[in-house]
C-alpha cells in the first residue's frame, strides 16, 4: 500500500476513533484509566486527547508498515501531531473569542481540519527525500511520551488555567 493510502487511512481512523473517545469516559462509568485517553469534560485540553491518542496509535501501526525505513519517522509524527494540536487551540480560541461563545459545529470543523492537517503534514514530511537521523526520532518519542504523561497527570489534577476549564 502506498504511503498516501496509509495517510488517508490515518485520517479516517483519527476521525472515527477520536470522535468515539469523546464519549468513552461516560460510557465506561467514568473509569479512571479511561479518563487518561478520553475527554472527561468540554475543556480545550481534553479535546486534544481526541487527536493525540488515535494519531499515536495509528503511527505505531505505520511505523511497522513502512516507518522503519525513515530514521526520523517519530520526529515527523511528533511534529505533525503537535502542529495539529496547536491548530485546535488556535482555531477554538480565535473563533470563540470573536463570537464570545463556542459552537458544536465549529468544534467539529476544528477537529476535522486538525485531523487533516496532521495527516497532510506527516505525508508531506515523509514524502520529502531529505531525512533526519535517529536522534530526531528519539526526541520525537520523548516529546510524545511527555505529552502523554501530561494528559495522565493533568486529567484529574489540572492546573488552574483556562485551557483546562470545561
Amino acid at each position: 500500500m502506498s504511503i498516501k493510502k496509509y495517510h488517508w487511512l490515518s485520517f479516517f481512523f483519527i476521525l472515527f476513533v477520536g470522535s468515539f473517545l469523546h464519549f468513552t469516559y461516560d460510557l465506561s462509568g467514568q473509569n479512571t484509566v479511561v479518563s487518561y485517553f478520553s475527554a472527561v469534560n468540554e475543556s480545550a485540553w481534553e479535546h486534544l486527547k481526541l487527536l493525540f491518542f488515535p494519531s499515536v496509535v495509528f503511527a505505531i501501526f505505520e511505523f511497522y508498515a513502512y516507518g522503519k525505513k525513515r530514521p526520523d519517522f517519530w520526529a515527523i509524527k511528533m511534529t505533525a501531531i503537535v502542529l495539529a494540536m496547536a491548530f485546535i487551540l488556535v482555531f477554538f480560541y480565535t473563533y470563540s473569542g470573536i463570537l464570545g461563545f463556542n459552537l458544536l459545529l465549529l468544534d467539529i470543523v476544528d477537529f476535522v481540519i486538525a485531523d487533516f492537517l496532521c495527516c497532510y503534514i506527516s505525508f508531506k514530511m515523509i514524502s520529502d527525500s531529505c531525512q533526519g537521523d535517529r536522534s530526531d526520532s528519539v526526541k520525537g518519542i520523548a516529546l510524545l511520551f511527555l505529552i502523554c504523561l501530561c494528559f495522565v497527570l493533568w486529567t484529574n489534577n489540572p492546573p488552574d488555567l483556562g485551557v483546562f476549564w470545561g
Side-chain angles (χ1 to χ4, degrees):
M1 184 175 353
S2 72
I3 291 174
K4 189 175 197 175
K5 287 182 182 176
Y6 276 108
H7 282 83
W8 276 112
L9 279 174
S10 177
F11 171 78
F12 288 110
F13 180 84
I14 294 164
L15 184 65
F16 291 117
V17 173
S19 297
F20 182 65
L21 287 176
H22 194 276
F23 306 102
T24 52
Y25 177 65
D26 285 332
L27 290 172
S28 73
Q30 300 186 343
N31 182 288
T32 302
V33 174
V34 174
S35 74
Y36 298 141
F37 56 87
S38 300
V40 300
N41 60 43
E42 292 299 319
S43 71
W45 173 258
E46 292 295 315
H47 282 82
L48 296 178
K49 294 178 186 179
L50 308 182
L51 181 98
F52 180 81
F53 286 106
S55 298
V56 171
V57 167
F58 201 85
I60 292 168
F61 172 72
E62 286 177 292
F63 177 75
Y64 288 105
Y66 69 85
K68 289 181 180 181
K69 298 174 188 169
R70 288 289 306 223
D72 56 351
F73 177 83
W74 288 108
I76 289 169
K77 289 298 178 178
M78 178 276 304
T79 301
I81 292 167
V82 169
L83 288 173
M85 289 170 55
F87 177 84
I88 287 173
L89 295 175
V90 169
F91 186 94
F92 174 76
Y93 284 112
T94 300
Y95 96 76
S96 62
I98 291 169
L99 296 178
F101 55 89
N102 61 307
L103 294 170
L104 177 61
L105 178 62
L106 288 179
D107 292 342
I108 293 168
V109 168
D110 187 8
F111 178 71
V112 173
I113 293 171
D115 178 11
F116 180 80
L117 284 174
C118 183
C119 297
Y120 182 77
I121 291 166
S122 172
F123 173 72
K124 290 308 246 180
M125 290 178 75
I126 285 176
S127 298
D128 186 5
S129 60
C130 182
Q131 294 187 20
D133 57 33
R134 290 229 184 270
S135 70
D136 295 332
S137 274
V138 171
K139 294 171 193 168
I141 290 170
L143 184 56
L144 290 172
F145 179 78
L146 180 62
I147 293 168
C148 184
L149 184 62
C150 289
F151 281 130
V152 170
L153 294 175
W154 293 340
T155 291
N156 296 312
N157 297 304
D160 190 24
L161 297 171
V163 73
F164 296 97
W165 300 338

